[in-house]
C-alpha cells in the first residue's frame, strides 16, 4: 500500500496537471502556504517548470530561502544574499510562489518623488476596493532603493523566518532604473498568502533585485491588474500536514515584510 506522503504527492500533481489545462486570466495561484513558509517550511516541493503555465508575473522564495524570487515577463529571477541576481533554471524548485498572468487594466503615470509610504498611500487612493485583489507593476527611475535577501538555511529544525532577521542582507542603490513586481491582497486571504502590499525589485539590467524594504522613486508608470479569484496549492508534504496553522503569525509576517521587528 502506498504511504500517506506518496498519496498526497500523487493527488497534488494530478490536480495540478488537470487544473493547468483550465488556468484562468485575472486569477492568482499560490503554490505553497505563506504562514507555513514563514513558520519554517523552507524545503522546496515544486519546480518552476510546473509553475510557469500559471502566469508570467509574481514573486516567491527559493529552496531553503537562498534569497528572493521575482517572476517578470515569463522569466524567473533569483537574488541571493550576496546580491547576485540571475535567471534561474526551470528545473529548480521552490517552497512558495504566487503567480498570475499579468494584463494591465489601468495605467497611471506619475512624476514623484514618492517615498514608500507616499507610494502606498497613492496606491490606496487608486485601488478603491478594500477587499479587491490587485497585481501591481511599477516601472520607474529610483533615486534610492533598499532591498534584502536571506541566506541559505540548511540546519534543521528550521527556525521561523522572523528569528532569521539578523541574518538578512541589505542592498542599497541610487539612480537606478527597474521594476517593482508585487501585489496588494485583502485581509481575508491572510494565512495562505501575505496580505497588504508585497513587492520585489528587478533592475533593468537584471543584475540587482530583492524584497523591497525602502524606496524613493520618480517618473513612474504604474500598471494595475485587478484579479477576480485565487487558488491555493498547499505543500504535498508530511511536514505541512503536521504544521500548526492555528498559531497567529501576523506579527511575524509584518516583521518579515518590514525587515525588522517593531
Amino acid at each position: 500500500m502506498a504511504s500517506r506522503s506518496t498519496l498526497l504527492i500523487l493527488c497534488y500533481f494530478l490536480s495540478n496537471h488537470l487544473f493547468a489545462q483550465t488556468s484562468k486570466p485575472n486569477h492568482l495561484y499560490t503554490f505553497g502556504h505563506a504562514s507555513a513558509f514563514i513558520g519554517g517550511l523552507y524545503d522546496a516541493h515544486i519546480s518552476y517548470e510546473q509553475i510557469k503555465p500559471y502566469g508570467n508575473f509574481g514573486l516567491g522564495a527559493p529552496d531553503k530561502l537562498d534569497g528572493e524570487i521575482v517572476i517578470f515577463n515569463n522569466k524567473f529571477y533569483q537574488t541571493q544574499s550576496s546580491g547576485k541576481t540571475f535567471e534561474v533554471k526551470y528545473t529548480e524548485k521552490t517552497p512558495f510562489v504566487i503567480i498570475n498572468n499579468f494584463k494591465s487594466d489601468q495605467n497611471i503615470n506619475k512624476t514623484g518623488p514618492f517615498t514608500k509610504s507616499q507610494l502606498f498611500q497613492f496606491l490606496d487612493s487608486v485601488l478603491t476596493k478594500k477587499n479587491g485583489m490587485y497585481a501591481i507593476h511599477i516601472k520607474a527611475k529610483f533615486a534610492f532603493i533598499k532591498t534584502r535577501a536571506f541566506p541559505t538555511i540548511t540546519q534543521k529544525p528550521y527556525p521561523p523566518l522572523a528569528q532569521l532577521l539578523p541574518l538578512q542582507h541589505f542592498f542599497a542603490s541610487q539612480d537606478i532604473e527597474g521594476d517593482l513586481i508585487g501585489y496588494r491582497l485583502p485581509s481575508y486571504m491572510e494565512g495562505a498568502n501575505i496580505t497588504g502590499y508585497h513587492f520585489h525589485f528587478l533592475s533593468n539590467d537584471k543584475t540587482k533585485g530583492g524584497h523591497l524594504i525602502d524606496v524613493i522613486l520618480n517618473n513612474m508608470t504604474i500598471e494595475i491588474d485587478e484579479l477576480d479569484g485565487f487558488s491555493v496549492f498547499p505543500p504535498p508534504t508530511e511536514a505541512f500536514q503536521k504544521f500548526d496553522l492555528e498559531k497567529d503569525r501576523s506579527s511575524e509576517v509584518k516583521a518579515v515584510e518590514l525587515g525588522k521587528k517593531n
Side-chain angles (χ1 to χ4, degrees):
M1 180 177 291
S3 68
R4 181 184 177 189
S5 60
T6 301
L7 289 173
L8 282 169
I9 293 170
L10 178 61
C11 290
Y12 175 84
F13 286 114
L14 281 174
S15 63
N16 186 9
H17 174 74
L18 292 173
F19 198 56
Q21 310 309 309
T22 57
S23 59
K24 299 175 290 185
N26 300 320
H27 198 89
L28 182 68
Y29 297 92
T30 299
F31 293 89
H33 190 283
S35 288
F37 170 73
I38 287 172
L41 297 192
Y42 309 137
D43 288 329
H45 55 84
I46 188 168
S47 72
Y48 300 115
E49 180 73 34
Q50 292 166 299
I51 291 169
K52 67 177 184 175
Y54 293 85
N56 56 15
F57 179 98
L59 46 81
D63 184 30
K64 297 176 179 61
L65 293 184
D66 194 22
E68 306 279 352
I69 290 291
V70 64
I71 307 160
F72 187 55
N73 290 337
N74 291 301
K75 294 182 179 180
F76 292 69
Y77 298 92
Q78 180 175 348
T79 298
Q80 294 178 316
S81 60
S82 64
K84 181 180 179 181
T85 299
F86 53 92
E87 187 178 349
V88 299
K89 297 177 181 178
Y90 288 138
T91 52
E92 295 183 25
K93 295 184 176 182
T94 176
F96 179 75
V97 156
I98 60 175
I99 188 170
N100 71 288
N101 275 304
F102 191 94
K103 185 177 181 181
S104 178
D105 301 313
Q106 184 177 6
N107 289 12
I108 302 167
N109 294 311
K110 299 292 289 186
T111 56
F114 282 80
T115 64
K116 182 181 175 182
S117 61
Q118 289 170 336
L119 172 64
F120 289 179
Q121 287 172 8
F122 174 72
L123 289 173
D124 281 342
S125 73
V126 174
L127 310 178
T128 56
K129 297 179 181 178
K130 181 179 179 179
N131 292 318
M133 298 177 287
Y134 299 96
I136 306 164
H137 170 223
I138 302 174
K139 189 167 193 63
K141 293 182 178 180
F142 297 85
F144 168 80
I145 186 164
K146 181 179 180 181
T147 61
R148 72 99 193 278
F150 284 97
T152 304
I153 304 299
T154 58
Q155 187 171 351
K156 292 186 176 182
Y158 301 138
L161 201 53
Q163 293 182 22
L164 300 177
L165 289 175
L167 302 181
Q168 63 190 328
H169 291 220
F170 295 102
F171 321 106
S173 297
Q174 295 180 338
D175 299 322
I176 188 172
E177 297 185 19
D179 300 89
L180 291 176
I181 289 88
Y183 298 88
R184 195 192 78 177
L185 300 179
S187 58
Y188 63 80
M189 294 175 68
E190 182 74 42
N193 291 280
I194 295 171
T195 58
Y197 289 107
H198 185 186
F199 284 98
H200 288 186
F201 172 68
L202 185 66
S203 63
N204 273 3
D205 62 7
K206 311 299 188 288
T207 64
K208 296 179 175 64
H211 173 90
L212 179 65
I213 296 294
D214 200 6
V215 70
I216 300 173
L217 65 174
N218 295 287
N219 300 328
M220 297 181 290
T221 298
I222 304 171
E223 296 181 314
I224 299 166
D225 182 7
E226 184 175 353
L227 308 174
D228 57 18
F230 70 99
S231 298
V232 178
F233 296 91
T237 63
E238 289 288 349
F240 177 74
Q241 295 303 319
K242 296 175 180 177
F243 189 82
D244 180 12
L245 291 174
E246 295 183 2
K247 181 176 179 179
D248 181 4
R249 297 188 182 273
S250 57
S251 62
E252 295 180 42
V253 172
K254 186 174 182 180
V256 170
E257 282 299 295
L258 295 175
K260 62 182 179 180
K261 294 186 177 180
N262 294 333

